[in-house]
């Protein structure tokens, strides 16, 4: 289907609100409980716009990005509440959508209508190559002022030092992959953890797929993790750690852990 046809199809999906949502659990490894769930939108199964990547790409080309994200936010919150999932809901939003939500002030009403307390929502800022500040700093302050949590990647989302401190920083899958066999990567994550602890920020390791990766992260002191090993995105996601994952953590607790020598301090996290 050519781009023009995909755009027509996207408009039909937006009009009919034909989006569904899956949720991937984020676990607290120390308490063995669910911290929350990251949500991912889906188009209809047979649609060429089934995945979030396809939806966002076509929406960007058609200048329908804000319309898509606005609808997705409302429907994702409603689906999360309907599923009666525990913990916090993590939603990925673009910088432009964060600014739009801040300027319109629509999030408190959206959450109230759905029956979700503001402090149970966490907005993950989704960076884009052509992002500009364009009011992002003040928008982030406005969102945080509504009691809504913020999650960034390892580095600050804007150069402005006045940007608010996030509640969470996500370690990317690239930082997590094969960490058990990569000493420099272990040192990098150890330094991130040290800085985050000093600032009162929680680190979440994304993309954990291997038991050895989980054991290494746990040994380093990373308290929160998500990934296929812990639970795949699903409309009925895991609500507790599997026996297999719990066994990995139990074995790690009794194992002898060699100390990791941190690298020199990295640039500030915020």
């Amino acid at each position: 289907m050519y781009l023009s046809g995909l755009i027509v199809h996207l408009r039909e999906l937006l009009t009919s609100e034909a989006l569904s949502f899956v949720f991937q659990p984020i676990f607290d490894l120390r308490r063995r409980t669910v911290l929350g769930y990251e949500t991912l939108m889906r188009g209809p199964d047979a649609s060429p716009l089934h995945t979030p990547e396809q939806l966002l790409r076509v929406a960007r080309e058609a200048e329908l990005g804000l319309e898509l994200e606005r609808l997705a936010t409302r429907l994702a919150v409603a689906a999360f509440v309907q599923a009666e999932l525990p913990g916090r809901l993590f939603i990925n939003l673009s910088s432009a959508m964060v600014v739009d939500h801040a300027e319109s002030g629509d999030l408190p009403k959206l959450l109230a209508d759905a029956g979700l307390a503001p402090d149970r929502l966490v907005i993950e800022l989704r960076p884009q190559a052509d992002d500009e500040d364009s009011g992002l700093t003040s928008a982030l302050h406005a969102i945080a002022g509504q009691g809504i949590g913020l999650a960034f990647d390892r580095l600050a989302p804007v150069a402005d030092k006045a940007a608010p401190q996030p509640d969470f920083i996500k370690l990317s899958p690239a930082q997590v992959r094969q960490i058990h066999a990569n000493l420099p990567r272990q040192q990098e994550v150890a330094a991130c953890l040290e800085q985050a602890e000093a600032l009162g920020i929680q680190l979440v390791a994304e993309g954990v797929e291997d038991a050895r990766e989980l054991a290494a992260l746990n040994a380093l002191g990373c308290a929160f993790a998500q990934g296929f090993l812990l639970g795949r995105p699903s409309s009925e996601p895991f609500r507790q750690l599997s026996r297999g994952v719990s066994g990995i953590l139990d074995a790690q607790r009794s194992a002898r852990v060699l100390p990791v020598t941190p690298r020199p301090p990295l640039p500030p996290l915020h």
Side-chain angles (χ1 to χ4, degrees), residues 132-141 152 156-165 269-270:
E132 298 178 357
D133 189 337
S134 302
L136 179 59
T137 296
S138 59
L140 290 169
H141 278 291
F152 301 158
V158 291
D160 189 349
K161 293 183 179 180
Q165 179 172 294
L269 291 170
H270 76 302

Side-chain angles (χ1 to χ4, degrees), residues 35-119:
L35 168 68
Y37 295 84
E38 181 175 345
T39 184
L40 298 168
M41 62 181 167
R42 296 282 190 266
D45 287 341
S47 168
L49 300 181
H50 175 63
T51 68
E53 293 80 12
Q54 293 165 322
L55 284 162
L56 289 167
R57 178 181 63 82
V58 175
R60 192 176 181 87
E61 292 289 339
E63 298 185 352
L64 292 170
L66 290 181
E67 185 175 344
L68 173 63
E69 289 190 82
R70 192 176 298 111
L71 174 64
T73 301
R74 176 168 59 82
L75 295 182
V77 170
F80 181 76
V81 172
Q82 184 175 10
E84 299 182 342
L85 292 171
R88 307 179 77 171
L89 172 63
F90 288 67
I91 295 182
N92 286 275
L93 294 179
S94 67
S95 299
M97 191 70 250
V98 170
V99 172
D100 186 85
H101 276 312
E103 291 179 347
S104 66
D106 60 346
L107 281 177
K109 184 178 186 304
L110 184 155
L111 295 173
D113 289 346
L116 187 70
D119 63 2

Side-chain angles (χ1 to χ4, degrees), residues 183-212:
L183 181 58
R185 197 164 294 166
Q186 292 174 30
Q187 293 171 330
E188 178 185 11
V189 170
C192 289
L193 285 163
E194 184 178 354
Q195 290 182 5
E197 184 177 359
L199 294 168
I201 300 172
Q202 305 287 358
L203 258 66
V204 178
E206 283 192 299
V208 181
E209 298 184 357
D210 188 292
R212 295 166 297 179

Side-chain angles (χ1 to χ4, degrees), residues 31 63 85 180 230:
R31 295 182 174 86
E63 298 185 352
L85 292 171
H180 59 281
L230 293 93

